[in-house]
Amino acid sequence: MDKIKRLILLAVPMSVCNFRCNYCYLTHRGECYQGKQPKYKYSPVHVAKAFSQRRLGGPAFFNICADGETLLAKDIDKYVYELLKEGHYIEFVSNLTITPVLKRMLAWDKGLLKHLSFKCSFHFLQLKEKKLLQIFADNVHKVWEAGASANIEMTPCDEMIPYIDEIKKFSMCHFGALPHLSIARNDGTAGIEYLTQLPIDEYDRIWGQFDSNFWKFKKAIFKEKRTEFCYAGDWALQVDLASGFAGECYRHRFSQNIFKNIERPIRFRAVGLCPEPHCYNGHALLTLGCIPNFTNVKYGDIRNRVKEDGSEWLQSELKSFFNSTLVESNREYSEKEKQIIKIKNSVFDVMKLSVKKVTRRK
Ligand code: SF4
């Protein structure tokens, strides 16, 4: 059975979406919904070579997500296809309403589809308003029938509360289980806070009824500053699909272009201390093991649900890969190595800050 060697957050820079969700964190940025497609500098075949198992050290978990609806990103299916052919496992984030592209992907060989999971964002209010609920449900079934995996995730928001009974009924009828819940966050705040007007105990009481282990894990780490040594940058990378620029996690301390010269090895350098207010996507980053042995909670388990008929949302081979952790296939640093990295990183930060100040003065 394959085990995860690296975690790649593959960002697709574009701004096209057929939805306008009120909680979408992209609306907190200036560049949302401009209708711009990605300007890819490298072909799908080149990108797959850049991410070869030889270069990464083994099979990787890819999370592919666009700054809009991922299925609307030009040629995205071609990139996914080449990465699957390279033997990687892919989590593809989508609102699952763009049927023609989805159908093209689901016509691939079953062996490839076993490694593909759709994170189906269940935007209930937009789906209802646009009369797309049935299409969403049908597409989830198409994914399962083709032999890929689909998991349903809803972002709870205050405006959805009057529809909770309807959501539950629809989910049990079409997905055989309740959706998992994410946490709507306010990226416009310095601390990246909850996006809700409710007092937190009321918020917990209302959304707790979905009994989502995914949400429970997210809640447990939300707003908790991480102080442990983090291996993002070595065991994980965040990469821009259009340009190939890569960094450790969401903030790039050491930026490098990993598509430009694919004969050159990638420089894997751990971030050490987390620069973020909290690990808001730790449901993946931490369960997959950027901080070794941080939790016993496994990613595949919290993404999965067992349906009323006993079948599961995630296909078994993929679930087993999603349940492996980075520490199983990577070497942990010695305490001395960790200290050296922390010192080097803080020296680098101070130098970067001084360069910025000098440039600003100019
Ligand atoms: S703790 Fe989470 S957010 Fe912080 S650097 Fe590590 S992976 Fe990134």
Side-chain angles (χ1 to χ4, degrees), residues 97-296:
T97 56
I98 314 300
T99 310
V101 190
L102 181 70
K103 272 187 173 168
R104 272 206 310 268
M105 294 169 81
L106 297 180
W108 296 337
D109 184 89
K110 283 228 177 320
L112 294 183
L113 292 175
K114 273 186 179 179
H115 285 202
L116 178 61
S117 181
F118 288 87
K119 197 282 274 181
C120 311
S121 305
F122 185 32
H123 299 300
F124 183 81
L125 295 178
Q126 282 284 288
L127 286 164
K128 191 175 164 70
E129 190 187 314
K130 294 178 184 295
K131 303 197 177 358
L132 289 169
L133 273 164
Q134 195 56 48
I135 288 188
F136 178 83
D138 290 348
N139 284 345
V140 168
H141 280 269
K142 281 187 194 116
V143 171
W144 285 326
E145 280 153 22
S149 300
N151 63 87
I152 294 95
E153 179 195 299
M154 190 174 80
T155 303
C157 69
D158 299 355
E159 294 77 2
M160 250 177 218
I161 295 170
Y163 299 92
I164 284 180
D165 285 343
E166 195 181 334
I167 292 168
K168 284 181 168 177
K169 213 170 145 201
F170 185 88
S171 301
M172 291 310 296
C173 172
H174 294 278
F175 316 132
L178 296 177
H180 278 305
L181 299 186
S182 183
I183 294 178
R185 58 175 204 261
N186 189 346
D187 278 6
T189 54
I192 311 182
E193 308 288 339
Y194 284 97
L195 188 69
T196 178
Q197 299 299 319
L198 298 174
I200 212 65
D201 51 347
E202 183 65 356
Y203 175 91
D204 289 351
R205 191 189 62 75
I206 290 173
W207 298 110
Q209 29 177 326
F210 282 80
D211 194 25
S212 163
N213 288 337
F214 183 83
W215 180 76
K216 285 178 199 163
F217 183 76
K218 279 194 82 108
K219 287 247 357 143
I221 55 165
F222 204 77
K223 296 207 63 192
E224 296 284 328
K225 175 77 184 155
R226 296 271 56 94
T227 54
E228 304 87 346
F229 189 91
C230 177
Y231 285 81
D234 183 345
W235 302 354
L237 285 177
Q238 204 255 12
V239 185
D240 181 309
L241 174 63
S243 66
F245 276 102
E248 303 90 338
C249 183
Y250 296 105
R251 267 182 240 188
H252 293 194
R253 177 186 277 124
F254 301 110
S255 204
Q256 56 179 322
N257 191 319
I258 63 165
F259 294 171
K260 205 170 178 181
N261 183 348
I262 57 176
E263 296 311 318
R264 250 201 228 151
I266 297 170
R267 282 176 294 136
F268 294 110
R269 300 161 80 149
V271 70
L273 287 177
C274 175
E276 297 290 337
H278 57 107
C279 189
Y280 44 86
N281 281 330
H283 57 266
L285 292 158
L286 297 181
T287 56
L288 290 168
C290 286
I291 296 173
N293 308 312
F294 173 80
T295 176
N296 289 329

